[in-house]
């Protein structure tokens, strides 16, 4: 206590007050937090969860759609619901860009949003609705859970070209994947963990037929794809290189079950995309894959959840940035 002498009691008090003030100003416009709506819309999270629990059991395939939509949202301009904007005039929006392919479920999000709007008009963002719907629908189908701090606000801009530039294509190699994830603040471990979402859902043949029919332009197959698996896909699913309509389960036989199936397939050279196969082409990422396969589902779920939470924080708009959209497809006028 004596040491305080020169600085003085009031000096110390001011210093502490300063620290408290600085940190509260910082967090006021820079951070998400758990239960952000607990005062402004106490029922918000429950409304979302109830709707998901009531409807997702009838359409479990939407869980895959939502987690992919959330990933696409976060990788383009941050998790700000830019993926949900409809094209009105000018450049096409993200949801109209080629990587959208199978994105569905916009109407589901719109219905959840209108329920939340009815309870608390203008309070809960579409970005948070999408993030919560994603987590809750993965949980409703027996997958991992994770924390969803809230307080995201909605962006005003959505551009098709930015989706193309920021989303990794299915033919990306490990260096491209690493670079694209790193520019979002995600590391190699996050890349390996998050790619495991391909344990659920489906892909169109057109996302990978080059691997079956014309890998290097000489009518050849991708040597990184198991030959028997390729033969099977060609005979039963993707009968030509130009098939753009047939859908294939990425983890055959368990497309609605979140498990370690994806990683076991990778080790058998049965990952569907080059980007999946790429994860075993590099010693560091292969080590991660092996670690996951040798571990428990419980451990994987916990680690996957941590990476999802991290992804959900990418470039978020908080405080007074952006807006709370009234309708998820349109910016407020
Ligand atoms: C690592 C880079 C990634 C690439 C190159 C990639 C690429 C793709 C492609 C091409 C499809 C199939 C689209 C179609 O043909 O209809 C797809 C589907 C899917 N992706 Fe990824 N993806 C990646 C990472 C992720 C991440 C991080 C997640 C989520 C955490 C994710 C979740 C999904 C899901 C669930 C589907 C199935 C969607 C459905 O059934 O509707 N992907 N991905
Ligand atoms: C997805 O992109 C294609 C190609 O740009 C576009 O024609 C289609 O309308 C888009 N799908 C949705 C749901 O917007
Ligand atoms: C394979 O690719 C090459 C080079 O792009 C092209 O000339 C050829 O027509 C393709 N073959 C098929 C079957 O699509
Ligand atoms: C967005 O466009 C779709 C059709 O592409 C339409 O069904 C939906 O109502 C639109 N949403 C808004 C908010 O305008």
């Amino acid at each position: 206590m004596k040491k305080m002498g020169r600085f003085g009691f009031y000096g110390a008090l001011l210093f502490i007050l300063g620290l408290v003030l600085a940190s509260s100003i910082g967090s006021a416009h820079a951070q998400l937090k758990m239960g952000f709506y607990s005062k402004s819309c106490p029922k918000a999270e429950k409304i979302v969860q109830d709707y998901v629990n009531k409807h997702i059991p009838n359409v479990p395939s939407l869980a895959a759609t939502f987690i992919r939509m959330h990933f696409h949202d976060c990788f383009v301009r941050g998790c700000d619901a830019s993926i949900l904007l409809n094209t009105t005039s000018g450049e096409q929006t993200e949801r109209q860009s080629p990587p959208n392919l199978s994105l569905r479920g916009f109407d589901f999000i719109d219905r959840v949003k209108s329920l939340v709007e009815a309870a608390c008009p203008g309070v809960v963002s579409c970005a948070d609705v999408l993030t919560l719907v994603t987590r809750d629908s993965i949980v409703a189908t027996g997958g991992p859970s994770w924390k969803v701090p809230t307080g995201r606000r909605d962006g005003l801009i959505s551009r098709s070209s930015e989706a193309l530039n920021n989303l990794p294509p299915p033919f990306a190699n490990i260096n491209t994947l690493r670079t694209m994830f790193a520019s979002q603040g995600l590391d190699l471990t996050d890349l390996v963990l998050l790619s495991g979402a391909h344990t659920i859902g489906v892909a169109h043949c057109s996302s990978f037929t080059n691997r079956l029919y014309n890998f290097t332009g000489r009518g050849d197959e991708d040597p990184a794809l198991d030959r028997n698996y390729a033969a099977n896909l060609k005979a039963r699913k993707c009968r030509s290189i130009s098939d753009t309509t047939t859908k294939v389960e990425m983890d055959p036989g368990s497309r609605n079950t979140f498990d370690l199936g994806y990683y076991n397939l990778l080790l058998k050279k049965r990952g569907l995309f080059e980007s999946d196969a790429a994860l075993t082409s590099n010693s560091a990422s292969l080590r991660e894959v092996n670690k996951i396969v040798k571990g428990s589902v419980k451990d994987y779920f916990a680690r996957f959840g941590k990476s999802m939470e991290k992804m959900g924080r990418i470039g978020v708009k908080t405080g007074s940035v952006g807006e709370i959209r009234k309708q998820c497809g349109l910016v407020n006028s």
Side-chain angles (χ1 to χ4, degrees):
M1 277 293 145
K2 263 197 186 143
K3 280 209 177 120
M4 233 187 225
R6 243 190 288 158
F7 193 29
F9 176 72
Y10 290 105
L13 199 65
L14 265 179
F15 179 71
I16 290 167
L17 269 177
L19 278 183
V20 170
L21 206 66
S23 70
S24 71
I25 289 175
S27 63
H29 59 78
Q31 270 172 22
L32 303 179
K33 63 175 196 181
M34 294 303 293
F36 179 85
Y37 300 111
S38 62
K39 292 214 175 69
S40 57
C41 191
K43 293 210 179 109
E45 295 198 22
K46 177 115 177 22
I47 293 172
V48 176
Q49 195 186 40
D50 287 350
Y51 189 87
V52 166
N53 286 342
K54 184 162 178 218
H55 295 281
I56 286 293
N58 303 322
V59 273
S61 66
L62 276 184
T65 302
F66 291 137
I67 198 169
R68 181 164 187 243
M69 196 187 274
H70 180 45
F71 158 55
H72 282 200
D73 183 33
C74 294
F75 267 55
V76 187
R77 292 188 168 266
C79 316
D80 69 345
S82 51
I83 185 79
L84 301 177
L85 287 174
N86 262 354
T87 301
T88 46
S89 63
E91 189 185 333
Q92 301 256 290
T93 56
E94 288 163 33
R95 69 190 260 188
Q96 267 86 34
S97 81
N100 71 20
L101 285 169
S102 51
L103 286 184
R104 301 167 295 142
F106 292 100
D107 50 339
F108 189 101
I109 299 290
D110 286 345
R111 280 197 292 276
V112 176
K113 169 69 172 171
S114 60
L115 290 175
V116 174
E117 277 303 291
C120 332
V123 172
V124 182
S125 69
C126 295
D128 278 339
V129 167
L130 175 56
T131 311
L132 290 164
V133 164
T134 298
R135 192 267 317 272
D136 293 345
S137 55
I138 293 291
V139 170
T141 51
S145 185
W146 59 90
K147 282 194 199 136
V148 177
T150 42
R152 292 167 192 78
R153 289 169 64 88
D154 300 324
L156 307 176
I157 298 167
S158 178
R159 296 195 181 116
S160 168
S161 56
E162 292 178 344
L164 271 177
N165 294 336
N166 289 287
L167 294 169
F171 50 84
N173 63 26
I174 191 71
N175 291 328
T176 305
L177 292 170
R178 274 184 105 146
T179 309
M180 294 186 100
F181 272 62
S183 63
Q184 307 286 352
L186 299 175
D187 60 24
L188 185 72
T189 306
D190 296 315
L191 167 65
V192 174
L193 290 167
L194 293 173
S195 294
H198 288 172
T199 186
I200 55 170
V202 291
H204 289 82
C205 290
S206 44
S207 294
F208 59 88
T209 39
N210 68 314
R211 302 186 78 198
L212 305 177
Y213 292 102
N214 207 0
F215 190 60
T216 65
R218 275 174 279 166
D220 50 346
E221 279 174 18
D222 181 350
L225 184 63
D226 173 64
R227 294 196 63 179
N228 293 324
Y229 192 44
N232 210 306
L233 286 167
K234 281 154 88 164
R236 291 160 194 263
K237 297 283 181 185
C238 312
R239 296 212 168 87
S240 91
I241 193 167
S242 49
D243 180 338
T244 54
T245 51
T246 308
K247 292 180 203 165
V248 177
E249 299 173 278
M250 295 191 284
D251 181 2
S254 75
R255 61 181 277 191
N256 288 326
T257 314
F258 216 112
D259 53 22
L260 301 180
Y262 170 79
Y263 297 99
N264 286 307
L265 289 174
L266 292 187
L267 294 175
K268 291 188 208 153
K269 293 170 61 173
R270 292 184 171 202
L272 211 46
F273 309 137
E274 288 169 73
S275 64
D276 297 319
L279 302 180
T280 56
S281 72
N282 164 281
S283 61
S285 54
L286 177 59
R287 218 176 301 126
E288 284 295 337
V289 171
N290 279 314
K291 185 171 153 189
I292 293 167
V293 167
K294 289 198 189 100
S296 66
V297 175
K298 189 165 166 272
D299 286 347
Y300 174 65
F301 277 16
R303 297 179 72 211
F304 178 84
K306 289 248 161 61
S307 288
M308 283 303 297
E309 195 186 330
K310 199 165 158 188
M311 189 177 91
R313 292 179 184 274
I314 296 173
V316 290
K317 299 175 170 67
T318 55
S320 57
V321 184
E323 64 178 14
I324 304 297
R325 257 177 239 156
K326 292 195 184 74
Q327 291 179 58
C328 293
L330 296 169
V331 295
N332 299 341
S333 46

